[in-house]
């Protein structure tokens, strides 16, 4: 896994950090662990546990639903967007396949985006600037406005 952390974000470079992960199930706990380690010093006012849960759901979806004929990676980036935290998860899947599901009570899968929708202040899915799909969420009022 490769990762980067930007210790001094500014308006010209609002990215706080990034990591790339292999598309395997072991990457999900790794993403949770590293994300928590990287964002803790920023003293977020939102729940880090909620952010980690949402990240976990999006990385799981990226690993499960990402597809490519060539070797590929899951890319995670997080940004300060004014007073909000935005987390993006990129994979080579098809953007049109991202949708909220309405699983039955006994269904084992299909609740990830429902969690994101209910906990995050907003979320988005669409084409990634790297090709494939990006799914992101925002937590508002994470920092005091500058």
């Amino acid at each position: 896994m490769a990762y980067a952390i930007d210790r001094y974000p500014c308006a010209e470079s609002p990215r706080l950090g990034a990591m790339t992960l292999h598309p395997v199930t072991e990457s999900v706990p790794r993403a949770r662990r590293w994300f928590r380690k990287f964002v803790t010093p920023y003293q977020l006012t939102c729940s880090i546990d909620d952010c980690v849960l949402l990240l976990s759901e999006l990385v799981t979806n990226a690993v499960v639903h990402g597809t490519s004929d060539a070797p590929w990676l899951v890319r995670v980036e997080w940004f300060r967007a004014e007073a909000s935290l935005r987390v993006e998860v990129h994979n080579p899947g098809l953007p049109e396949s991202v949708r909220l599901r309405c699983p039955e009570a006994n269904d084992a899968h299909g609740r990830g985006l429902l969690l994101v929708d209910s906990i995050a202040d907003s979320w988005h899915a669409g084409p990634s600037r790297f090709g494939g799909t990006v799914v992101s969420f925002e937590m508002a009022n994470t920092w005091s406005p500058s």
Side-chain angles (χ1 to χ4, degrees), residues 25-101:
T25 56
E26 294 82 14
S27 290
V28 177
R30 185 171 292 129
R32 286 193 301 258
R33 184 174 55 253
W34 284 103
F35 179 78
R36 181 181 299 277
K37 181 177 181 171
F38 289 151
V39 300
T40 297
Y42 291 106
Q43 301 177 344
L44 308 180
T45 59
C46 65
S47 167
I48 291 178
D49 290 338
D50 284 351
C51 294
V52 169
L53 172 63
L54 301 183
L55 171 74
S56 180
E57 293 298 331
L58 295 187
V59 171
T60 298
N61 285 350
V63 167
V64 170
H65 300 292
T67 58
S68 177
D69 293 333
W72 59 279
L73 296 170
V74 174
R75 181 175 182 86
V76 179
E77 296 183 309
W78 51 99
F79 302 84
R80 181 173 181 165
E82 297 179 9
S84 298
L85 171 70
R86 185 178 74 247
V87 178
E88 298 180 353
V89 178
H90 303 261
N91 74 71
L94 300 172
E96 55 272 7
S97 68
V98 178
R99 60 184 168 81
L100 281 173
R101 302 181 195 283

Side-chain angles (χ1 to χ4, degrees), residues 12-32:
E12 296 79 35
S13 178
R15 190 178 82 173
L16 301 175
M19 66 178 113
T20 55
L21 304 156
H22 294 285
V24 294
T25 56
E26 294 82 14
S27 290
V28 177
R30 185 171 292 129
R32 286 193 301 258

